[in-house]
Every structure is written in structure tokens, then in C-alpha cells.
Amino acid sequence: MRFRPANLVIKDVVRETASVSTIRFDRSLDPTPGQYIMVWVRGVDEIPMSFSAPDSITVHAVGDATRALCALRPGDSVGSRGPFGNGFRLTGERILLIGGGVGVAPLAFLGEDARARGVEVTSLIGFRCREDIIFLDRFRRLGDVILTTDDGSAGIEGRASAGLSEIDPEDYSQIYLCGPEMMMIDIIRRCREHASRIQASINRYFKCAVGICGSCCLDPDGIRVCVEGPVITGDRLLESEFGRYRRGPSGMRESCY
Amino acid sequence: MSSLSGDVGGLRLENPLILAAGILGTTGASMRRVALEGAGAVVTKSIGVEPRDGHPGPTVVRLGVGLINAMGLPNPSYRSFQDEIDIAREGGVPVVASIFGSSPEEFAEIASALDVDGFELNLSCPHAEGYGMEIGCDPANVEEITRAVRRAVNVPVWVKLTPNVTDIRVLGIAAQRGGANAVVAINTLKAMAIDVESGYPILGNVIGGLSGPAIKPVALRCVYELSGVLEIPVIGVGGVSCWQDAVEMIMAGAAGVQIGTALMGGLEVIRDITSGIIRFLDRKGWSLEEIRGIARRRGSTAPSKEYPLSASSTTSKSFDEVETHKEVP
């Protein structure tokens, strides 16, 4: 096991949208889709990032660390711990991916892995507007794609859930979810009868990433999301704090609306 | 089958294994989970007067021999923590609130406000400016803060001591003078790690605290030294990761044993250690009481005087100036 942060040299930075970039490293970290690494932007902070491919992460620049990460150039490097956590478990021959915003990134990786194993893939992906769309070509190469935008500038108008009318969840052996929390809980509630077949990759405040600090624990069972997640089944999430509140860096409860 | 139940620092525990402060103690649910996994008691994350986000990352460095952390006392403040304590109590074991402050008044303010089974005073965190060991290295502070909390509450008060001093016994005696029901030894040892690829210190806070197997021999020595001079119980903590480690702590004189870093390997470690201790006692035909402090009885020299005692620059009283209470058996 590696104990010190691994040095990852950046090979390529691809600007996907105005605020989203894909950072490709000099090597694959051999992750399972859905796993994450703690990326250390030296001198700034360390943040959890899920993989968008075995050798890349896709970053939405929203805070100091993500902005600093997106400003890095080929040849620069970051430190990394991981891969950590339980990723998506591939089950069955016909799967449905449902993603929103930059949350589609680990799903594209999962879909490609599944396709390589002969699994049939359908994708339902939602974005705020046409300018925010990422990885549409990657999803189209996997199989059927249903696209939604909040403002109707591309695909079906509305949230990702608006695309549910186009499909029957019954047709799929497993449903994989990643995106904003309220989008995910909305989908899980709408597909309640299929909740045991939903695997969702969720966010909580990770500090240690090794399961001891407790900052990411999910009520009411105290699931350590950093090591027992970040992928959690829909039925467990229905019985949890998910979609109602979460905790910030101090441990204080915050609304997730 | 040997019984592990007994009094630990004023609390009746089913077994002497206690969740250490700062580990899985941010939420009531995670503490309840550890209690249901078999801990005899749980200690919360350290709680202060104001909400704190903690230090920037990385907050931990994993080593082959342990862990260095600099979390920076993140907590939602005592004003938002009673709910978590109440949930933790559903685990059916005593819940001890670890608290920190910058003055006796702050400690007393927090302690007065929380309804809990006991308090553990964090006078030992090595990486938070103005808190923890920065005030806990001075025996006069330790005594004054302990006394302030002792006066404010009617539940057991434990004082967690720093090993980052010349002579930890002086701090233990100060806690005892202040009215502590027990001391907890030890908190982490000041440490750091550097990324050789970049030259950056790895921790966001540069300096952190070393825990895990690397510090067990230090913790054991501190428990041994403290139990040689104190009348109040000593609770051992530092690098306990298997039943043999826990038995060593008890043989050094510990009344209770806290588990921290070892939980990184999984929560089942608590049950494994508990059953290991029971099997060991059964095999030897010994009771927990019989092995507690046995190392002192087996030792050939008078332990309280076996180390050269030098006046420490960080302590206001040398060991020779303070009263010792305990006869060597």
C-alpha cells in the first residue's frame, strides 16, 4: 500500500465548458468507476474527485481548490491519495445511467467500462443549458441518450427527471446515479419501487478519507461515506438524511436545498 | 468467562474499551454505531465555544507506522451539539464529551451547557493555536481549568494530557489537584511529513499529531509513570490496535483503554480486542483487576524514582516539588 501522496503529473487539461475542465494525468490509477482520489493542490487544499476515466478527473471550478486545480497546466503536478471508496458495482446486462451536470463524469467512465464488458447502456443526462453540456459524444458512443436541459436550449426541457417519461426503469437491471443531491433524491423517490436497484454516488464533507474522522458520516446509521461509499444504494438513501440535510466542514447540519 | 465490567474514571462500563476523542465523533449516529459495535463508552469530537471548520487539507498523512493528523478542531460548537450527544446515548453506553477552550471560563461555559455522562478536557491537541497543548503544557493551567470544570458539573471529569513535555507526571498531578476523576494519556505526539516531490509540508497545517502503533511505547511509558504517582485512575490511549496492546496498557496501570487510529482498519477491531482480552484472562485464570498495574509489581526498581527528573522549561513545578500519593506495591 502506498502511504505518501503519489505525485501525478498533468498531461493534458481539456476545457469542457466555461467552468468545467478535464485533467488527464500521466498514468492510469486503475480505479473502479465511482471510486475517488483525494487531490492535493499543493499550498491550497486537498479535495475529493471522482474519476472521469482511469487517468482523468473532471473538475467544476467552484472554490479555491477547484479553481487552482483548473488553472494548472500540462507538466504541473498534484499530490494524490487513493483511489478510495467503494465504486459502482456492475450488475446485469442492461443498465441505465442518470446524471446531472458534472456528475455525469463518473457515469461516462462506468458506461465505457460496462460497454467494454458487453453490457447494454442507456443514458439520461441533464444540464442547466446547452453551454453546460459535457461528454455528449462519449454517451452517444455507448448507446441511447436522452438529453435534458433546464432551459430547454437542448433536448427535453426540464430537469433530468423530465426524461424519465421516455424510459421504463423496469427495463434495466441496474440504475446508476450521479449529480446534484436534490436531483438524485428526486429520481430515487420517483423510482422508489426500483430503489434497491439504484446505485448513487454521493457527496459528503470528506476530510480524512480513511474512515476515522467522522466528518462524512451519514445519518441515521453512521455510514462512513468516504470508505463505505461514495456509492450507496437508493433504498439506503431513502432511509437516510440524503436530500434533507448534510454537514459542512465544522460538522454543523446544513440544508441541502 | 472473565468479566470486563467495572468502574473507569467514575463511570460504570461494561468493558474498558472506549472510543477515543476525535475519532468518528462528529455525529451522534457514528458514535451510536461504535457503541453498538461493542465500545464500553464513547468520547465525542472535541467541542468548543464557536463553530470551527478546521485546517485546510491534507488533514492526514498515513504512514506505515501510524497516522499524522492536523484536523484543527473542527466542530459545530456546543450550541449545536446536544442533539448529537442524545443520539449517541441511544447506543446504550456512557457518552463523554471532549471539550476545548482557551480559558477556564470557556471550559466551564461549555461543560455547564452540555447534558452528558462525563467530560474529557482536551488540554493536549498539538496543532491548534491557543488551545490544547498550548495551554495544557502548563500545570497551573491544567489545575485551574480542571477545577473550573469540576465546580461547574456533577459528572466525572477526565483530563487528557499531552506527552509533548519533559515530565507528564507533573501534568497528571496538576489534574488530580484540580479535582479530576481520571487522566487520559496520551494525546498525539507533534510530528510532520514532507512531500519530497515538491518540498511542501504535506499537512495543510504543516505540523500535526502522530498516532497509531508508532506511539504505543510512549503511551505505555506515560501510563506507567502516571499510575505510579496518581491516586486517580489513568485511561490509556495511543496506538492500541490489538488485544495484546490493550493488555499491555492495563498491565502498565490503565483503568480503561481508548481506541482511535486502529478504527481505520474497521469498526470490528473493538469487538476483536474485547474478545481477545476475555480469552487471554480465561486462559491465564486472571481477572482484569489482577493484571492492572502488574508491570509495576513485577518491576525490580521503585518506578516513581527510576527516571532522572529534571525541571522542565514547560512546567512551573518540578516533579520533586509536588506531592506524590501512591505507595509502590
Side-chain angles (χ1 to χ4, degrees), chain B:
Chain B
M1 194 173 81
S2 297
S3 167
L4 298 187
S5 65
D7 182 281
V8 177
L11 293 176
R12 179 83 196 167
L13 305 191
E14 278 307 303
N15 77 66
L17 296 183
I18 302 163
L19 173 69
I23 308 292
L24 295 173
T26 303
T27 75
S30 57
M31 290 184 275
R32 178 178 57 195
R33 182 176 173 192
V34 175
L36 296 174
E37 289 281 343
V42 297
V43 183
T44 70
K45 183 103 189 81
S46 290
I47 302 301
V49 171
E50 298 297 335
R52 282 170 64 101
D53 288 353
H55 295 315
T59 54
V60 302
V61 184
R62 197 169 171 186
L63 310 170
V65 293
L67 197 71
I68 311 176
N69 91 82
M71 305 300 297
L73 298 171
N75 82 97
S77 106
Y78 74 86
R79 295 179 185 88
S80 302
F81 204 67
Q82 188 62 49
D83 277 358
E84 308 297 345
I85 291 170
D86 294 342
I87 293 165
R89 276 175 157 167
E90 293 168 10
V93 304
V95 176
V96 175
S98 172
I99 62 173
F100 73 93
S102 60
S103 64
E105 293 73 27
E106 278 191 7
F107 273 92
E109 175 188 341
I110 302 162
S112 309
L114 292 176
D115 173 20
V116 70
D117 302 302
F119 288 96
E120 182 178 286
L121 314 188
N122 180 347
L123 289 167
S124 41
C125 173
H127 47 76
E129 206 174 321
Y131 298 108
M133 71 163 277
E134 285 203 7
I135 52 176
C137 279
D138 179 347
N141 277 343
V142 171
E143 184 174 339
E144 197 185 347
I145 289 166
T146 308
R147 183 165 291 120
V149 176
R150 178 68 284 156
R151 283 179 178 152
V153 302
N154 293 314
V155 293
V157 176
W158 302 348
V159 179
K160 189 165 179 179
L161 304 175
T162 175
N164 298 302
V165 289
T166 308
D167 190 347
I168 196 170
R169 288 174 289 189
V170 177
L171 300 178
I173 288 162
Q176 182 171 278
R177 282 177 181 278
N181 295 80
V183 293
V184 181
I186 55 178
N187 206 315
T188 52
L189 285 147
K190 283 186 93 161
M192 76 178 288
I194 295 168
D195 176 41
V196 296
E197 292 291 340
S198 64
Y200 274 88
I202 297 176
L203 292 170
N205 188 57
V206 181
I207 302 289
L210 177 65
S211 63
I215 72 163
K216 196 200 72 185
V218 179
L220 206 57
R221 182 264 300 171
C222 290
V223 169
Y224 185 84
E225 286 187 333
L226 287 162
S227 63
V229 298
L230 298 182
E231 295 201 322
I232 58 175
V234 180
I235 296 166
V237 52
V240 173
S241 48
C242 60
W243 68 263
Q244 290 93 337
D245 294 340
V247 167
E248 261 189 293
M249 279 288 186
I250 295 162
M251 287 182 161
V257 179
Q258 295 189 349
I259 311 290
T261 306
L263 285 159
M264 195 164 57
L267 272 56
E268 59 280 3
V269 69
I270 295 172
R271 219 172 277 284
D272 292 346
I273 293 175
T274 307
S275 58
I277 298 172
I278 291 171
R279 281 198 309 275
F280 170 75
L281 293 175
D282 286 349
R283 172 162 62 83
K284 303 290 272 187
W286 289 343
S287 70
L288 203 57
E289 212 43 58
E290 283 172 317
I291 66 165
R292 181 166 299 124
I294 191 173
R296 183 171 311 287
R297 300 192 291 278
R298 295 277 193 265
S300 57
T301 53
S304 66
K305 293 292 180 190
E306 75 187 23
Y307 297 97
L309 297 163
S310 57
S312 160
S313 60
T314 57
T315 59
S316 63
K317 283 177 187 161
S318 77
F319 178 74
D320 290 326
E321 288 175 284
V322 294
E323 191 181 351
T324 64
H325 302 279
K326 214 166 187 179
E327 292 295 316
V328 176

Side-chain angles (χ1 to χ4, degrees), chain A residues 227-249:
Chain A
V227 294
E228 293 164 282
V231 174
I232 313 256
T233 56
D235 47 359
R236 283 200 97 162
L237 291 175
L238 275 178
E239 294 164 1
S240 78
E241 69 185 40
F242 191 71
R244 293 185 288 131
Y245 62 88
R246 56 195 305 164
R247 286 163 206 273

